[in-house]
Amino acid sequence: MINTSELLKYNGQLHGLIDQKIDSIKKVSTNKEMYLAFVIAKAIKSYSSVMFLCEKRHGEDAFVLCRTLFELLINCLYILNDESDGRLERYFEFDWIIRKQMFDYLKSKPDMIDILEKKEKKYPNIIKEIESECKRVKDEYNYSNTSWSDKSIKDMAEEVGRIDNYYTVYKIQCQLSHSNARSVNEYAVEGESDLIFRIGPSDNLIDETLVASFDFMYHITLEVSKLFKWGIEDELTTLSDEYVKNLNDNQ
């Protein structure tokens, strides 16, 4: 296994390649360009935070945040698998469902009715618009109330060839994020006579996080580079090949 400093180096080089190009996205002209501009903007901020947490030896939190990169990658690959904009439109239109849920919650709270009424006076048609658009997209897409896609993230991961990541890395990340009983194992180690809890910096999960983050961020960047014609696909491939070779040589 490559040591932590080497993993940080490769992730830093990947981050550097993105930094050289990301400011070139000045405007977008298609729905897919708008979506991928959002994806790379969100991904690079999360990626930077993951690296910062790893450098500070807070591996558990870095590992949880890496889950964001996985979800971005799965959604991205699944949407791009559709040559039309059908899946992307379904993704954007789900915003009406979320907005309706938020307003419905406000209406259920008497102490918030005044806020809602003031908002409605300021924007007299906004609630009617939300209710009308919510009905329209529900009729058109037959949404559930919890997901934009007609597939679960597991099914999307399977379609895009990432089911192994789903059952391994992602499952563990979810356990930590939701503080399931299994996540206790990442914070407690058995001492000679009792349990010792990790409450400070440690090396736990740092290497795993850096390996997964490089993988997810690399493939997100590859898709962005192709769409925006960044022209760094060869550099990305060279970096990835060197990285994978180093990983294999040090197993």
Side-chain angles (χ1 to χ4, degrees):
M1 184 66 167
I2 305 177
N3 62 40
T4 302
S5 63
E6 284 285 293
L7 290 172
L8 283 167
K9 182 193 78 172
Y10 282 111
N11 278 277
Q13 289 175 349
L14 176 56
H15 199 300
L17 286 174
I18 301 165
D19 285 343
Q20 292 172 19
K21 293 293 184 178
I22 196 166
D23 286 340
S24 67
I25 304 176
K26 303 295 184 184
K27 62 179 181 178
V28 295
S29 56
T30 68
N31 285 336
K32 281 182 177 168
E33 285 181 353
M34 180 169 69
Y35 173 67
L36 279 188
F38 152 72
V39 167
I40 195 64
K42 181 173 172 59
I44 197 63
K45 293 191 79 168
S46 295
Y47 190 46
S48 299
S49 297
V50 165
M51 291 178 64
F52 175 81
L53 288 167
C54 286
E55 288 166 355
K56 296 296 182 182
R57 299 175 65 224
H58 289 288
E60 297 88 359
D61 284 348
F63 193 61
V64 169
L65 186 54
C66 173
R67 188 176 87 154
T68 296
L69 298 177
F70 177 78
E71 290 170 344
L72 278 171
L73 175 62
I74 297 306
N75 283 337
C76 177
L77 294 178
Y78 180 72
I79 286 170
L80 293 179
N81 263 6
D82 177 15
E83 292 185 3
S84 74
D85 277 356
R87 288 178 178 178
L88 184 55
E89 289 168 1
R90 183 184 178 95
Y91 172 86
F92 283 136
E93 294 277 41
F94 190 70
D95 182 56
W96 291 112
I97 305 294
I98 299 170
R99 293 174 72 180
K100 176 71 161 51
Q101 291 169 349
M102 293 168 68
F103 273 100
D104 284 347
Y105 178 77
L106 281 177
K107 288 191 290 187
S108 73
K109 298 293 179 179
D111 58 333
M112 294 184 179
I113 288 177
D114 286 344
I115 299 173
L116 188 62
E117 288 177 343
K118 288 176 182 176
K119 184 178 284 292
E120 191 168 7
K121 287 176 183 176
K122 188 176 180 181
Y123 307 103
N125 297 316
I126 190 169
I127 295 177
K128 288 180 182 178
E129 181 188 14
I130 289 172
E131 290 178 343
S132 171
E133 290 299 300
C134 181
K135 182 180 184 308
R136 176 184 65 80
V137 299
K138 268 198 165 182
D139 290 344
E140 184 171 352
Y141 296 106
N142 194 29
Y143 287 122
S144 71
N145 286 323
T146 57
S147 174
W148 70 270
S149 177
D150 56 345
K151 292 185 178 182
S152 67
I153 190 164
K154 170 178 169 277
D155 291 335
M156 288 192 290
E158 187 162 28
E159 178 179 313
V160 302
R162 287 281 174 164
I163 195 64
D164 288 345
N165 293 140
Y166 173 85
Y167 276 118
T168 53
V169 176
Y170 185 67
K171 279 289 190 181
I172 300 171
Q173 289 169 334
C174 289
Q175 289 165 12
L176 266 68
S177 178
H178 298 305
S179 302
N180 293 341
R182 185 67 188 169
S183 67
V184 174
N185 293 288
E186 301 300 338
Y187 294 89
V189 293
E190 193 170 347
E192 292 184 4
S193 58
D194 54 12
L195 287 175
I196 300 171
F197 285 88
R198 299 186 181 104
I199 60 173
S202 75
D203 295 330
N204 187 41
L205 290 177
I206 290 176
D207 289 353
E208 293 86 346
T209 300
L210 291 170
V211 169
S213 295
F214 183 96
D215 178 17
F216 304 153
M217 195 69 207
Y218 165 80
H219 284 93
I220 289 171
T221 306
L222 203 56
E223 297 302 329
V224 173
S225 180
K226 287 187 286 189
L227 186 71
F228 285 104
K229 297 180 172 55
W230 281 358
I232 60 170
E233 291 92 327
D234 288 345
E235 291 176 83
L236 287 167
T237 301
T238 298
L239 176 62
S240 178
D241 288 348
E242 180 187 331
Y243 165 75
V244 170
K245 181 179 184 304
N246 208 335
L247 269 180
N248 292 333
D249 289 347
N250 287 276
Q251 283 183 347

